[in-house]
């Protein structure tokens, strides 16, 4: 397919173009498309699709659609910035439309610059692209009808990447409406209040692409930081608000119907939950809670009717609409979710279990739209390690591996520029800022092994060999005289707990080496490197000999003044889980440790018990714990711990979380793995 872009808008950040094709009469059409970064398709003003399914650098996935219309409009947005969500690449639009025996290419479309989206604004988050602000004389209805006032642009041919198929079924685009209005009133503005600032603001120009704070045309979070909400009162400012509840956290495009008597403004402030812990009232919607700028703004230059939509999908359960005087807005959410889990059911009369099942399904559906992602809010990124667990949920819920296949194919083709030789990105498709997670490369090998065991040694395993060999090559350079990894570079990640602290990970980190031994064994199983089995066993023997203090395994070994490895004395619960989960040790070898871990630690730990042993988080210690209970066949205990871990999450957001608490994402793909335990406990 021929690819084009506007002549004078190459290399600019945060640009949206529209490409319109008039077929003169309404008729059936077949459309094939690839575009970067992302696109929306409208047929006679009706939303048709959002895409693309993401691909590696130098590649793009094509999609095919059918419809009937007189006028087809494709809006294409280019962030042209480094993110965890999209790759930074030159923008392009490639399309073919077949209608009534005639084939139209991208060069037959008329190009418009959609100048209603404000360009120089803050990033949405450290990991994603730009926040959305619109300055409107009218909505885009005229564009869809063929009477647009947007400036036309000449196009030129641009380089088209290599095209790949789209593996994942087309997502759902169901409309959802708020279930209740939970609060309303006036909004005062207090200029003396502090303004929330994030690294996504301050690191622009160093780590991050974007616009410097002094150049922002609109100051979204500065304004939202100074709002004071007055329930059931009228504010002097003339601003009013309503807070809506959609019933559960869901991902999609916010769509608004706005009626304005005059010029004005609408803010949409949103989040997964109400942050009453912040002390700002029971119904506080915190735009900044997840380190996101969760604020949209629509500036109305004159009165009228406006039908508007966000371009990207976002996650929300609660939406707080702030409107100026004379402006009224209604909100809906068009979901963007994997459709294949809808029919999955679990026969069980227990309402609490059904809540967890429903939450796990929702969590998976929102994190497996085009590949396996961590969260649909802060990042929308394809993270290794998370994917090891969410791929299990995909198999359970759908019996397929579409999202996992796309995920692993992207890694097989991944551009590793900027990383040490052999290392793979921690998440992909993305552009690395300045770090990587060596542990995630180990999980990459383990997921490939799991994939091969379940789906066979297909082309994904063959394509991945070069990357897997590179991982092995990287770690070989980090081995010490005993064959263990020592002083790993990058972001050494064990779990979200004290186990990640610098004093725990320096030297010979025991959890990392436990995982490394299993990684070596995985490479032997995948590609026949039989010599690695002996090395794996030697690592395990060394750990059992040198890292056990008589009760627990220490987190790390460090060098003394004579250069000998000595125990650090630092202990965490997760280190013990690693040892058992990765089969470095067995309960028969260490019966006291196993009993202590499973009976008196974890969710059973009494307050103040063994303070010297750092507590574990869900990612991954408590997940490994429940897996160990499952291996032991302890159905009742598995079910009990699932209820303790997940029921509070399911009841609060309708999704499952990244942490034990609400400090981060409350909709994280790996957490859908909980379904595996529920089915085991129920004998399903």
């Amino acid at each position: 397919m021929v690819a084009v872009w506007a002549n004078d808008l190459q290399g600019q950040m945060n640009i949206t173009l529209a490409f319109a094709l008039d077929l003169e009469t309404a008729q059936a059409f077949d459309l094939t498309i690839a575009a970067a970064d992302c696109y929306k398709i409208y047929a006679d003003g009706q939303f048709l699709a959002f895409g693309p399914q993401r691909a590696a650098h130098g590649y793009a996935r094509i999609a095919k659609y059918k419809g009937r219309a007189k006028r087809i409009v494709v809006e294409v947005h280019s962030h042209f910035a480094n993110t965890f969500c999209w790759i930074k690449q030159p923008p392009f639009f490639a399309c073919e439309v077949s209608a009534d025996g005639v084939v139209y290419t991208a060069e037959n479309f008329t190009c418009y610059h959609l100048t209603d989206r404000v360009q120089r604004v803050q990033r949405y988050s450290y990991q994603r692209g730009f926040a959305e602000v619109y300055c409107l004389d009218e909505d885009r209805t005229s564009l869809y009808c063929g009477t647009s006032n947007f400036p036309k642009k000449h196009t030129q041919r641009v380089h088209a990447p290599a095209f790949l198929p789209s593996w994942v079924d087309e997502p759902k685009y169901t409309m959802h409406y708020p279930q209740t209005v939970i609060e309303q009133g006036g909004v005062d503005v207090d200029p003396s209040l502090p303004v929330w600032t994030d690294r996504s603001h301050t690191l622009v120009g160093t780590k991050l692409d974007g616009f410097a704070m002094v150049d922002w045309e609109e100051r979204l979070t500065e304004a939202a930081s100074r709002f004071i909400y007055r329930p059931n009162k009228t504010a002097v400012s003339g601003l009013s608000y309503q807070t809506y509840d959609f019933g559960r956290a869901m991902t999609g495009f916010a769509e608004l119907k706005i009626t304005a008597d005059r010029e004005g403004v609408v803010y949409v402030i949103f989040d997964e939950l109400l942050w009453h812990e912040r002390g700002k009232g029971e119904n506080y919607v915190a735009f900044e809670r997840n380190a996101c700028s969760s604020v949209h703004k629509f500036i109305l230059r004159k009165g009228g009717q406006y039908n508007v939509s966000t371009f990207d999908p976002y996650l929300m359960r609660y939406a707080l609409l702030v409107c100026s005087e004379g402006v009224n807005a209604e909100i809906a959410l068009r979901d963007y979710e994997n459709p294949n889990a809808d029919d999955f059911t679990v026969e069980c009369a227990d309402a609490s279990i059904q809540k967890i099942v429903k939450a796990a399904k929702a969590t998976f559906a929102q994190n497996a739209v085009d590949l396996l992602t961590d969260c649909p809010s802060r990042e929308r990124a394809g993270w290794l390690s998370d994917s090891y667990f969410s791929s299990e949920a995909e198999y359970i819920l759908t019996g397929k591996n579409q999202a996992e296949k796309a995920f692993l194919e992207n890694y097989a083709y991944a551009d590793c520029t900027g990383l040490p030789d052999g290392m793979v990105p921690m998440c992909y498709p993305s552009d690395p800022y300045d770090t990587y997670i060596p542990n995630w490369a180990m999980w990459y090998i383990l997921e490939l092994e799991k994939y091969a065991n379940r789906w066979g040694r297909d082309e994904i395993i063959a394509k991945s060999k070069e990357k897997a060999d590179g991982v092995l090559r990287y770690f070989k350079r980090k081995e010490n005289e005993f064959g263990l990894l020592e002083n790993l570079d990058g972001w050494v990640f064990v779990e979200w707990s004290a186990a990640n602290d610098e004093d725990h990970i320096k030297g010979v980190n025991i959890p990392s080496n436990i995982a490394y031994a299993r990684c070596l064994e995985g490479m032997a199983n995948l590609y026949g490197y039989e010599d690695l089995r002996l090395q794996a066993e030697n690592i395990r023997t060394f750990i059992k000999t040198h890292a056990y203090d008589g009760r627990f395994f220490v987190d790390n070994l460090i060098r003394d003044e004579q250069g000998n490895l000595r125990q650090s004395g630092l202990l965490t619960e997760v280190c013990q889980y690693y040892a058992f989960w990765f089969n470095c040790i067995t309960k028969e070898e260490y019966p006291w440790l196993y009993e202590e871990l499973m009976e008196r630690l974890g969710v059973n730990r009494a307050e103040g018990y063994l303070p010297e042993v750092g507590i574990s988080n869900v990612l991954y210690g408590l997940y490994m714990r429940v897996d160990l209970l499952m291996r032991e066949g302890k159905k009742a205990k598995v079910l009990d711990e699932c209820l303790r871990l997940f029921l509070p999450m399911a009841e609060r957001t309708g999704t499952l979380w990244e942490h034990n608490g609400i400090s981060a994402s409350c909709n994280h793909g790996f957490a859908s793995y909980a379904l595996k335990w529920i089915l085991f406990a129920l004998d399903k």
Side-chain angles (χ1 to χ4, degrees):
M1 289 189 294
V2 173
V4 302
W5 196 252
N7 289 357
D8 58 346
L9 293 176
Q10 289 281 356
Q12 291 198 36
M13 294 182 289
N14 201 24
I15 292 292
T16 310
L17 301 183
F19 297 88
L21 179 66
D22 198 330
L23 299 175
E24 297 185 356
T25 61
Q27 54 191 284
F29 64 83
D30 292 289
L31 182 150
T32 303
I33 185 173
D37 291 331
C38 46
Y39 59 78
K40 276 185 166 181
I41 306 172
Y42 292 88
D44 285 342
Q46 299 300 306
F47 175 86
L48 181 62
F50 175 86
Q53 294 183 19
R54 288 167 285 179
H57 291 79
Y59 297 87
R61 297 194 185 278
I62 57 173
K64 297 179 183 293
Y65 303 97
K66 292 180 178 291
R68 182 178 180 82
K70 176 180 181 293
R71 185 171 172 85
I72 301 168
V73 175
V74 183
E75 300 172 356
V76 184
H77 185 75
S78 170
H79 290 284
F80 201 64
N82 57 344
T83 74
F84 287 12
C85 177
W86 304 105
I87 57 173
K88 184 179 180 180
Q89 62 183 321
F92 71 93
F93 168 65
C95 188
E96 287 185 357
V97 174
S98 176
D100 196 25
V102 180
V103 176
Y104 304 88
T105 73
E107 293 179 308
N108 298 119
F109 284 72
T110 303
C111 178
Y112 299 89
H113 183 192
L114 298 185
T115 50
D116 57 353
R117 181 163 179 174
V118 179
Q119 182 183 12
R120 294 189 300 277
V121 297
Q122 64 200 78
R123 290 175 65 118
Y124 175 71
S125 68
Y126 177 80
Q127 299 90 345
R128 287 181 65 171
F130 295 98
E132 298 197 35
V133 184
Y134 295 87
C135 192
L136 306 166
D137 288 306
E138 59 182 359
D139 64 18
R140 295 179 182 178
T141 302
S142 60
L143 172 67
Y144 307 142
C145 296
T147 57
S148 175
N149 292 317
F150 290 108
K152 290 184 179 180
K153 289 290 181 180
H154 294 290
T155 61
Q156 63 185 29
R157 288 193 178 189
V158 295
H159 173 72
F163 294 130
L164 296 172
S166 295
W167 294 119
V168 187
D169 291 339
E170 189 67 11
K172 298 187 295 182
Y173 297 116
T174 307
M175 293 297 292
H176 300 268
Y177 300 90
Q179 294 185 0
T180 54
V181 177
I182 62 173
E183 190 173 284
Q184 56 189 342
V187 181
D188 284 326
V189 179
D190 185 348
S192 69
L193 289 175
V195 171
W196 176 74
T197 302
D198 183 62
R199 59 180 176 167
S200 62
H201 310 159
T202 59
L203 293 180
V204 167
T206 54
K207 281 189 179 183
L208 302 181
D209 296 330
F211 301 100
M213 296 172 70
V214 295
D215 296 327
W216 293 351
E217 298 174 73
E218 290 289 333
R219 314 190 81 79
L220 282 178
T221 51
E222 181 176 317
S225 294
R226 290 170 170 159
F227 288 161
I228 300 176
Y229 304 102
R230 307 293 191 192
N232 303 313
K233 294 182 180 179
T234 301
V236 175
S237 68
L239 296 172
S240 61
Y241 77 97
Q242 288 189 311
T243 303
Y244 298 91
D245 181 4
F246 282 92
R248 67 169 174 89
M250 58 182 69
T251 301
F253 311 95
E255 300 196 357
L256 282 80
K257 292 183 178 180
I258 302 172
T259 303
D261 295 337
R262 66 199 79 172
E263 65 180 18
V265 65
V266 176
Y267 289 91
V268 182
I269 298 171
F270 58 97
D271 194 23
E272 303 161 81
L273 49 77
L274 298 173
W275 199 9
H276 52 75
E277 292 90 344
R278 188 71 185 275
K280 293 190 175 184
E282 286 297 305
N283 297 323
Y284 179 56
V285 181
F287 65 85
E288 79 283 15
R289 182 195 57 82
N290 197 17
C292 298
S293 301
S294 294
V295 185
H296 307 310
K297 185 178 182 182
F298 299 90
I299 304 163
L300 317 172
R301 286 178 169 166
K302 59 185 180 183
Q305 302 285 328
Y306 299 85
N307 293 289
V308 296
S309 172
T310 61
F311 200 98
D312 270 31
Y314 299 91
L315 173 64
M316 66 179 72
R317 174 173 178 174
Y318 300 95
L320 187 157
L321 270 56
V322 176
C323 299
S324 58
E325 191 171 358
V327 176
N328 180 68
E330 300 174 2
I331 189 169
L333 193 75
R334 186 186 299 274
D335 67 21
Y336 181 62
E337 302 182 0
N338 187 304
N340 294 323
D342 283 356
D343 295 335
F344 179 88
T345 59
V346 174
E347 292 183 11
C348 177
D350 190 316
S352 295
I353 293 173
Q354 289 294 358
K355 286 180 182 178
I356 296 172
V357 170
K358 187 176 180 180
K361 286 174 58 176
T363 301
F364 166 79
Q366 294 171 65
N367 282 290
V369 184
D370 64 330
L371 48 89
L372 299 173
T373 62
D374 62 334
C375 62
S377 55
R378 186 183 67 226
E379 301 181 11
R380 294 190 66 237
W383 281 87
L384 290 168
S385 184
D386 293 56
S387 61
Y388 180 93
F389 294 89
S390 54
S391 61
E392 282 291 296
E394 181 177 27
Y395 175 67
I396 291 167
L397 286 166
T398 74
K400 302 176 184 178
N401 66 333
Q402 294 177 344
E404 183 185 31
K405 183 175 182 179
F407 176 89
L408 290 175
E409 184 177 60
N410 289 342
Y411 262 94
Y413 293 135
D415 182 352
C416 299
T417 302
L419 297 172
D421 175 53
M423 182 49 58
V424 293
M426 56 191 183
C427 60
Y428 197 74
S430 67
D431 290 284
Y433 298 171
D434 66 351
T435 193
Y436 56 93
I437 301 179
N439 310 63
W440 273 203
M442 302 178 202
W443 285 100
Y444 175 52
I445 303 304
L446 298 181
E447 184 170 353
L448 287 172
E449 180 191 25
K450 181 165 66 71
Y451 179 100
N453 290 339
R454 175 166 290 152
W455 304 106
R457 297 176 183 276
D458 62 8
E459 73 279 5
I460 293 295
I461 300 302
K463 289 177 183 177
S464 301
K465 185 176 185 300
E466 181 180 349
K467 289 294 192 301
D469 286 343
V471 168
L472 193 62
R473 186 169 68 248
Y474 170 84
F475 284 124
K476 284 295 180 185
R477 298 196 302 272
K478 304 302 295 182
E479 291 177 1
N480 64 14
E481 68 270 30
F482 305 107
L484 278 77
L485 303 176
E486 186 170 359
N487 293 323
L488 280 170
D489 296 321
W491 178 15
V492 179
F493 193 105
V494 177
E495 76 158 6
W496 286 123
S497 72
N500 272 6
D501 293 350
E502 177 61 31
D503 55 346
H504 286 250
I505 63 173
K506 66 182 180 181
V508 176
N509 179 251
I510 297 305
S512 297
N513 275 283
I514 289 170
Y516 184 48
R518 184 65 188 85
C519 170
L520 293 172
E521 191 174 67
M523 283 295 290
N525 294 335
L526 275 168
Y527 299 115
Y529 301 147
E530 292 301 317
D531 57 312
L532 298 183
R533 297 189 194 279
L534 178 59
Q535 184 183 353
E537 206 49 49
N538 288 340
I539 291 172
R540 292 171 181 138
T541 300
F542 188 95
I543 288 171
K544 287 186 278 190
T545 303
H546 294 86
Y548 185 58
D549 72 357
R551 295 188 310 155
F552 299 100
F553 284 85
V554 298
D555 274 28
N556 54 335
L557 306 175
I558 54 178
R559 300 278 178 175
D560 62 17
E561 292 181 355
Q562 289 72 43
N564 299 313
L565 287 172
R566 296 285 183 259
Q567 294 181 7
S568 68
L570 299 172
L571 303 172
T572 58
E573 197 176 308
V574 70
C575 183
Q576 323 310 311
Y577 290 128
Y578 264 70
F580 286 110
W581 194 84
F582 280 107
N583 296 315
C584 179
I585 64 175
T586 67
K587 63 178 290 189
E588 288 75 23
E589 292 176 296
Y590 298 86
W592 178 89
L593 175 58
Y594 191 82
E595 182 180 353
E596 183 74 4
L597 188 64
M598 305 308 291
E599 298 298 328
R600 289 176 288 280
L601 294 179
V603 298
N604 300 315
R605 186 192 287 228
E607 186 175 355
Y609 183 66
L610 288 180
E612 70 274 22
V613 181
I615 63 173
S616 219
N617 209 327
V618 292
L619 184 68
Y620 290 107
L622 297 182
Y623 272 45
M624 291 177 172
R625 173 189 178 85
V626 183
D627 257 358
L628 290 169
L629 290 171
M630 183 172 64
R631 291 182 193 176
E632 290 290 305
K634 298 184 181 297
K635 292 181 169 59
K637 291 197 70 171
V638 166
L639 192 57
D640 174 67
E641 299 208 5
C642 283
L643 288 166
R644 288 206 249 176
L645 283 172
F646 301 121
L647 185 58
M649 303 179 187
E651 290 181 333
R652 188 161 183 182
T653 62
T655 48
L656 304 181
W657 304 352
E658 178 181 7
H659 288 199
N660 295 346
I662 62 168
S663 60
S665 160
C666 295
N667 185 339
H668 233 66
F670 79 87
S672 54
Y673 185 83
L675 283 168
K676 186 169 185 175
W677 300 320
I678 295 290
L679 294 177
F680 161 77
L682 297 178
D683 266 331
K684 302 296 183 183

